[in-house]
Amino acid sequence: MSFTAFVDGPFWYFSATVFVIGVLWRLVGMLNMGSKTDFSTPRSSGSAAALSINITRFFPRADFWSRIRLQVVAGYLFHVGLFALLFFAAPHIEFYREYVTGFGWVALPEWAFILVSEIAFLGLMLLILHRMLNPVTRAISDRGDYIGSILIFLVMLTGCLALARSHEVLRVTHFFLAELLLVYFPFSALIHTFTFPFSRGFMGAHYGRRGVKV
Amino acid sequence: MSLFGLRVSGWQLSTLFLAGLLLFIAFPATAQDKVPASPIMVPNPATDLWRAVRQREGAASGQTQVRGIETGVLIEQRGEAFREYRRRDFIGNAGIFIGVIAGLVLLFYILRGRINIPGGRSGRRIKRFADFERTLHWFTAIVFIFLALTGLTLLFGRFVVLPVFGAEAFGVIASACKEGHNLFGPLFIVAVVLLFIRFAWRNLPSRGDLTWLVKGGGIIGKAHVTAGFFNAGEKIWFWSVMVLGLAVSISGLVLIFPTLGQPRDIMQLALFVHGIAAVLFIAGSFGHIYIGTIGTEGSLESMTTGYVDENWAEAHHDRWHAETVAQAARGADRHASADTTGAVHATTDKA
Amino acid sequence: MAIDMNVFRGFAEQIKMLPQMARPTDCPDNERVKHAKAIFSTKIDASNATQLESCVHCGLCAEACQFYIQTEDPELTPIHKLDLLKRYYRREKAPLRWLHRLIEPDITEADLEATQHLVYESCTECGRCGLVCPMGIDIAAMVHVTREGLAHAGLIPAGLRAVEQEQGSRGTVFGVGPDQLRQAADELRAKGHEVPIDKDKADVLVLTSTIDVLLFKDALEATVKVMNHLGLDWTIHSCAFEGANFGLLSGYSEVQKSASERITSQAIALGARMVIVPECGHAYPALRWAGANAHGAPLPFEVMALSEFLGREVMAGRLQLNPIGADKHVTYHDPCKIGRHGGVFDEPRAVLQALGVDMREMPSNRTANFCCGGGAGLFVMEKAEPMRNAAFDLKRQQVEATGAGSVVTACGSCRINLMAGAGRTQWSTPIESLVELVGANLK
């Protein structure tokens, strides 16, 4: 079997399966641990706060802004750029239409695809560099943090190198790394993609019951 | 010395550098085009017609119903001239120029050696570059190196990469390099703009700059030169980055947006400017990288950790050092500072 | 102010002696991990799990922590304090525990010991870190879970352990028991105040604290004055008067439960509809939030912080105050456990408004205020002094930024730490108590 056939065939099915099952396994496993009953009389609704914190936490408090500016800005550049290119870049929508959903949706024009990719690259590179240069992140970061972020960078880079759609080997490299990322994803901190609404929600509920907007 | 965690000697680094460059400079100077020769000469019936079209004097543009830029031009005369210039003059000389500069830097290192901190390290550190400044610098550096490598591949690849990897592989490499170069180019523009916003003020000419230059920055001999946060040499590099950065950025933008209405000669001019500026940029970067790493003891850490040894500061940027020390003293006077030494290294209580 | 500075200095001296007064817990070294794990196992739930799994090591938590801000020591990064708990969780609770067991080593006794100063002497569980975390990780809550694990492993720092052991075995703190309480009541009666002690039935059970009995006597006096002034059917009870809960502070849950149940059962026996917690930070969450869980059922009475109660009475018009005047410029320091962890922000401000003073907010105030550095038992841990000092220096800058002439607060620990810092740095700004201001200006 050629490498191309492997990447387009068995490895795609394997990686997609591991991704879906892995994420569900991990997420459901966490949520199954349940919550202890809180017998104290709440000041206000915990569930309402669990929902609202998911919105408000996107906007950092002014108190912290001057110390966290770089990471917040770079973080949004990366995440928003990544979201846009993952879901609204024409080649990706083509892929989903053919291999995942059976239908597509409106795509960004090519120039916009390039623009959001550049934004995502800018954010990701600033974040990876900051992780290496800032004393706090340098002290607390582990192997997984670097593997995850650099793997994403390589997926994005190989995607960029294959933009001309001129040579199969470039496309296959991009696909291979993306599939590798899917396999790695459920076993890494990248799971935050799916757990963050819950972790925020629990914090919101805890403080919401105390009548404190966090 | 340590370079990103790897133990390298100055000799090893220089040799690696030079070896890499040899790849680029050896071949262009002896560039040969491999054009398969046709065994049977078949005359083109319209040769005379097309020769007349091509060699027309005056306006080389005719009338046509096709709308667009230069659609009335059937054969671009300057194109061949530009192609010749690029192949024969630019590539060869660019290669030689880059090689010569690299060689001069190596030679300087052999003759002068590393500039050490006078009196050795003091062991006391002061903060020189903030988190954001270091992040920005290394972002710029990485994007620059990526653009340089992809750009040099686009320039020299046919003569250096293709013979080694073959035409098919080179096709892949070239396509990848073009896409990479074009996507990362605008990121370099962002980097240059941010560098300007952050550092322009500290790079304005100031007292002592001319003296510093006249004395060669004290790099030869042991003359002491005064300097502020940045010395005149660094300021020259900064403004070179700004000017060359502006040149590659504007010309680059013209090149990646070819359908904005510009005629071919603008595109050729853009390629010309882009090429010259890029080559000067790369050559200049050799000096910057050299001085910032193996060339000067204690410099690299300013950009990796953000801190420099006090003796380094006193030796290379005495006025900045004096200001910083005075400011720290004023700050300490205002508040009795908490003694937090040993705070997190207390012994454990067991029972 | 009638604070006896000899008593204040005596406190400081006594705190230095505390470690020697701690009894050994007789926990053999090789059993510590087992005990800690047993606690972790019961405590970890979906909230902890999703939060521990969401951390991407962004480091923003450090930028919110006063201890990191002042020292710039990456060891003090809040999420780093949870490394022990994280490793336990990943190996023994996480959905991927089978994988983590292969690649991560088990927690050791050395790990427990290395975590002690991270979760005790260098953290006040103030919760500021949780405010900035993009994933909403409640680091303070899990620092507390870690404390509970370490406490059962015999690793409470000696000074804190001494007080916890005293409260656990004798029910007293710093030797202040029913006799000392009655003595304090007699002093107040001698000044002409009525002090109803040990009534059989009462509407309102008022708590106090060792610190108020011994040191901040004006606060106790003011509390008595206000209760009488309002004409409430109230009592203070010698069987259950201590608001401070050193079981909560140390993480030793048995003592936490016994201390809070002592109050709960007394309040039930009295038929009280309300229990008022004194000016003491952690005493409020100990009863208001954790008390019901220690009881195993919702509490049949309301729990109010004193500042909360005063504010509510002012806002309802039941408590009238003489205005001091707008030329008194104050700022208000929200005690972390009553503000950020308690939800009490508006009430103390209503009191200050009724007092007619010019109240100026600190740059970081209310939910996002900076901790004074003395909470979570830090003021009885000698090794915590550098941290307390560092936090005070930052708090001082915050106060000075307002231009206020004094700092008003409603927590004895905060008062002690601020006063200690003021003494150390020769800072002349007075630290005032909210209830004392009220007591001195009743209409």
Side-chain angles (χ1 to χ4, degrees):
Chain A
M1 177 185 286
S2 73
F3 187 66
T4 303
F6 173 69
V7 167
D8 285 340
F11 195 47
W12 155 242
Y13 295 120
F14 174 73
S15 61
T17 309
V18 167
F19 176 72
V20 172
I21 293 188
V23 168
L24 281 172
W25 176 272
R26 207 166 157 188
L27 192 57
V28 171
M30 282 181 232
L31 295 173
N32 255 349
M33 291 183 202
S35 296
K36 309 236 178 337
T37 318
D38 183 4
F39 290 109
S40 66
T41 314
R43 272 193 215 282
S44 61
S45 163
S47 19
L51 292 171
S52 63
I53 190 182
N54 267 295
I55 308 294
T56 59
R57 223 10 109 92
F58 282 117
F59 307 101
R61 273 177 189 269
D63 294 83
F64 307 121
W65 186 243
S66 65
R67 297 185 68 101
I68 64 174
R69 260 187 317 226
L70 170 60
Q71 281 187 283
V72 172
V73 171
Y76 278 123
L77 289 175
F78 166 61
H79 283 92
V80 173
L82 183 68
F83 187 84
L85 78 90
L86 257 184
F87 294 112
F88 294 100
H92 294 153
I93 296 175
E94 257 177 65
F95 180 84
Y96 300 142
R97 188 205 319 268
E98 199 171 333
Y99 292 103
V100 184
T101 55
F103 61 84
W105 50 88
V106 66
L108 289 166
E110 181 87 355
W111 64 264
F113 174 22
I114 305 274
L115 182 66
V116 298
S117 308
E118 286 168 344
I119 289 170
F121 269 116
L122 175 64
L124 182 58
M125 290 174 76
L126 289 176
L127 283 175
I128 294 176
L129 286 170
H130 179 270
R131 185 182 284 289
M132 289 168 22
L133 295 167
N134 174 271
V136 168
T137 49
R138 190 166 49 220
I140 64 177
S141 294
D142 56 27
R143 248 181 345 216
D145 298 312
Y146 291 107
I147 294 174
S149 44
I150 290 173
L151 187 52
I152 293 188
F153 176 78
L154 290 175
V155 173
M156 286 165 59
L157 182 66
T158 50
C160 156
L161 299 181
L163 269 172
R165 314 239 232 173
S166 58
H167 296 87
E168 264 293 273
V169 62
L170 292 172
R171 175 192 76 79
V172 170
T173 312
H174 176 59
F175 273 49
F176 174 68
L177 286 173
E179 287 161 17
L180 207 61
L181 181 63
L182 287 177
V183 171
Y184 179 71
F185 193 104
F187 303 100
S188 68
L190 291 171
I191 198 71
H192 75 272
T193 312
F194 300 102
T195 57
F196 85 88
F198 298 101
S199 62
R200 285 183 181 184
F202 282 117
M203 162 162 281
H206 174 92
Y207 281 92
R209 280 196 289 270
R210 284 155 176 70
V212 180
K213 277 206 170 13
V214 290
Chain B
M1 100 231 76
S2 187
L3 194 65
F4 298 115
L6 296 168
R7 296 225 65 81
V8 224
S9 75
W11 283 107
Q12 284 175 301
L13 201 68
S14 328
T15 318
L16 261 168
F17 231 114
L18 203 54
L21 280 160
L22 276 172
L23 264 178
F24 281 123
I25 66 164
F27 290 94
T30 56
Q32 297 255 342
D33 243 351
K34 287 187 176 63
V35 179
S38 168
I40 302 165
M41 293 302 293
V42 177
N44 182 341
T47 306
D48 292 333
L49 168 66
W50 288 111
R51 192 176 299 116
V53 168
R54 188 178 157 192
Q55 288 167 348
R56 275 165 73 163
E57 294 298 327
S61 176
Q63 284 196 337
T64 170
Q65 291 197 322
V66 179
R67 291 186 189 281
I69 309 292
E70 295 179 313
T71 47
V73 176
L74 291 175
I75 297 178
E76 167 60 67
Q77 293 199 40
R78 280 181 304 253
E80 184 61 23
F82 182 79
R83 185 169 161 269
E84 278 302 306
Y85 156 78
R86 183 176 178 276
R87 292 267 194 110
R88 195 190 54 228
D89 298 327
F90 184 70
I91 289 179
N93 291 322
I96 291 167
F97 178 69
I98 290 175
V100 163
I101 299 296
L104 284 174
V105 170
L106 179 62
L107 189 67
F108 183 81
Y109 177 63
I110 294 169
L111 295 175
R112 178 62 175 80
R114 188 179 71 166
I115 298 164
N116 292 316
I117 299 174
R121 287 173 180 272
S122 69
R124 292 181 309 275
R125 308 186 314 168
I126 51 177
K127 189 88 186 269
R128 182 160 168 82
F129 289 119
D131 274 5
F132 172 63
E133 294 168 344
R134 291 179 284 130
T135 308
L136 178 57
H137 169 268
W138 289 113
F139 172 74
T140 310
I142 289 171
V143 173
F144 177 84
I145 290 172
F146 180 78
L147 290 172
L149 289 174
T150 50
L152 288 173
T153 306
L154 291 170
L155 190 61
F156 295 128
R158 178 193 259 272
F159 311 105
V160 171
V161 181
L162 193 151
V164 177
F165 292 100
E168 244 194 80
F170 177 62
V172 173
I173 293 169
S175 174
C177 283
K178 176 182 161 287
E179 297 303 324
H181 195 88
N182 288 4
L183 192 139
F184 276 78
L187 290 180
F188 190 70
I189 303 177
V190 171
V192 170
V193 169
L194 290 175
L195 280 172
F196 179 81
I197 294 170
R198 191 71 181 202
F199 290 110
W201 182 255
R202 278 176 273 182
N203 281 288
L204 293 174
S206 63
R207 169 175 76 83
D209 280 345
L210 274 175
T211 319
W212 193 97
L213 281 171
V214 162
K215 288 190 179 173
I219 210 166
I220 296 148
K222 292 207 179 13
H224 170 74
V225 274
T226 181
F229 191 97
F230 286 129
N231 60 43
E234 288 167 314
K235 292 179 184 180
I236 289 179
W237 173 237
F238 176 83
W239 293 110
S240 304
V241 168
M242 292 301 119
V243 169
L244 293 172
L246 194 68
V248 292
S249 300
I250 295 181
S251 56
L253 286 170
V254 170
L255 291 168
I256 58 174
F257 292 109
T259 53
L260 290 180
Q262 64 272 42
R264 281 182 193 74
D265 57 349
I266 298 295
M267 294 295 280
Q268 286 163 3
L269 179 66
L271 274 168
F272 173 78
V273 168
H274 200 79
I276 302 258
V279 165
L280 289 172
F281 220 154
I282 292 169
S285 75
F286 293 157
H288 170 73
I289 293 170
Y290 166 74
I291 278 286
T293 57
I294 60 177
T296 320
E297 183 189 11
S299 290
L300 182 59
E301 62 212 56
S302 71
M303 234 352 133
T304 52
T305 68
Y307 288 86
V308 292
D309 188 87
E310 273 207 47
N311 284 356
W312 179 96
E314 235 181 323
H316 299 293
H317 303 278
D318 57 332
R319 292 205 313 273
W320 168 70
H321 171 255
E323 272 164 36
T324 309
V325 166
Q327 204 169 44
R330 280 195 300 272
D333 282 341
R334 250 204 310 269
H335 301 291
S337 55
D339 175 19
T340 55
T341 53
V344 228
H345 306 287
T347 52
T348 317
D349 285 343
K350 291 206 281 190
Chain C
M1 262 186 290
I3 298 177
D4 188 341
M5 291 310 288
N6 288 323
V7 176
F8 185 74
R9 280 185 283 274
F11 251 124
E13 287 308 308
Q14 205 174 354
I15 285 168
K16 288 196 178 65
M17 308 289 288
L18 279 174
Q20 299 156 22
M21 292 159 59
R23 287 190 319 275
T25 58
D26 295 324
C27 184
D29 280 355
N30 58 6
E31 293 204 354
R32 296 190 199 276
V33 171
K34 193 178 76 182
H35 288 302
K37 283 188 177 184
I39 295 295
F40 291 157
S41 174
T42 61
K43 296 284 177 181
I44 287 184
D45 63 3
S47 157
N48 305 139
T50 50
Q51 290 178 352
L52 287 174
E53 302 257 32
S54 293
C55 175
V56 291
H57 290 135
C58 73
L60 257 55
C61 51
E63 308 299 340
C65 172
Q66 54 271 342
F67 301 120
Y68 172 76
I69 290 173
Q70 291 296 87
T71 63
E72 302 215 316
D73 186 345
E75 262 288 286
L76 294 175
T77 305
I79 198 68
H80 175 51
K81 298 174 192 293
L82 301 185
D83 278 356
L84 181 81
L85 192 65
K86 242 192 225 184
R87 196 136 53 93
Y88 164 81
Y89 163 80
R90 284 204 284 245
R91 280 182 51 93
E92 306 204 19
K93 288 285 185 185
L96 292 179
R97 56 189 173 277
W98 47 270
L99 177 66
H100 287 293
R101 258 191 274 251
L102 294 172
I103 59 178
E104 277 186 71
D106 200 359
I107 59 176
T108 64
E109 198 237 315
D111 293 326
L112 293 180
E113 291 174 27
T115 305
Q116 188 193 56
H117 61 251
L118 290 179
V119 298
Y120 279 106
E121 290 109 347
S122 55
C123 180
T124 51
E125 300 183 14
C126 80
R128 213 165 182 270
C129 45
L131 289 183
V132 76
C133 175
M135 307 296 161
I137 299 173
D138 194 345
I139 299 176
M142 286 190 273
V143 164
H144 194 74
V145 172
T146 309
R147 278 197 183 192
E148 291 177 306
L150 291 183
H152 287 84
L155 287 171
I156 305 171
L160 186 56
R161 194 172 74 243
V163 190
E164 171 263 309
Q165 284 168 337
E166 185 195 339
Q167 190 171 32
S169 56
R170 283 179 282 152
T172 60
V173 173
F174 284 113
V176 172
D179 291 338
Q180 286 73 23
L181 177 72
R182 289 194 194 96
Q183 195 180 339
D186 288 337
E187 281 175 28
L188 289 172
R189 286 192 192 107
K191 284 176 142 187
H193 300 294
E194 227 188 272
V195 187
I197 277 199
D198 294 345
K199 278 159 80 168
D200 285 332
K201 292 283 172 204
D203 255 359
V204 181
L205 173 64
V206 172
L207 305 177
T208 181
S209 70
T210 295
I211 292 179
D212 284 357
V213 168
L214 293 181
L215 185 62
F216 297 133
K217 299 187 185 205
D218 284 0
L220 181 56
E221 180 177 359
T223 308
V224 166
K225 267 179 86 175
V226 172
M227 294 300 144
N228 290 335
H229 181 84
L230 287 168
L232 296 169
D233 170 22
W234 71 281
T235 187
I236 199 167
H237 209 287
S238 59
C239 289
F241 64 88
E242 178 65 68
N245 189 324
F246 279 81
L248 176 67
L249 292 177
S250 63
Y252 199 64
S253 29
E254 282 85 337
V255 172
Q256 175 189 349
K257 189 171 170 181
S258 67
S260 111
E261 276 294 273
R262 172 192 288 254
I263 298 168
T264 301
S265 44
Q266 189 62 60
I268 291 173
L270 284 169
R273 61 168 174 87
M274 188 194 318
V275 175
I276 294 183
V277 171
E279 285 189 341
C280 172
H282 75 279
Y284 183 63
L287 196 59
R288 177 65 179 90
W289 309 122
N293 297 324
H295 193 56
L299 297 176
F301 48 81
E302 210 184 349
V303 177
M304 294 212 94
L306 185 55
S307 53
E308 185 185 10
F309 173 74
L310 295 171
R312 196 168 74 171
E313 296 302 291
V314 161
M315 294 194 298
R318 289 189 290 268
L319 182 59
Q320 307 276 337
L321 300 175
N322 288 322
I324 297 174
D327 51 352
K328 182 177 172 71
H329 312 288
V330 310
T331 186
Y332 184 71
H333 164 70
D334 291 284
C336 300
K337 304 301 192 301
I338 299 179
R340 187 161 39 247
H341 291 278
V344 176
F345 296 111
D346 295 331
E347 292 85 346
R349 284 163 173 81
V351 171
L352 291 172
Q353 191 174 40
L355 285 169
V357 297
D358 170 33
M359 209 297 259
R360 299 152 176 208
E361 298 280 12
M362 288 185 258
S364 278
N365 58 69
R366 300 173 80 108
T367 310
N369 79 319
F370 277 106
C371 176
C372 71
L378 254 66
F379 80 97
V380 296
M381 290 187 271
E382 247 227 291
K383 285 184 205 162
E385 195 183 339
M387 291 294 112
R388 281 186 262 128
N389 294 346
F392 169 82
D393 287 346
L394 180 51
K395 198 74 206 184
R396 176 179 166 170
Q397 287 170 32
Q398 290 273 306
V399 172
E400 288 179 343
T402 67
S406 72
V407 189
V408 180
T409 189
C411 163
S413 287
C414 298
R415 253 176 115 182
I416 287 182
N417 199 52
L418 292 171
M419 283 174 63
R424 175 179 59 87
T425 58
Q426 276 98 54
W427 192 43
S428 55
T429 304
I431 321 296
E432 299 189 280
S433 141
L434 189 72
V435 69
E436 287 178 22
L437 282 177
V438 168
N441 293 285
L442 291 171
K443 196 176 271 189

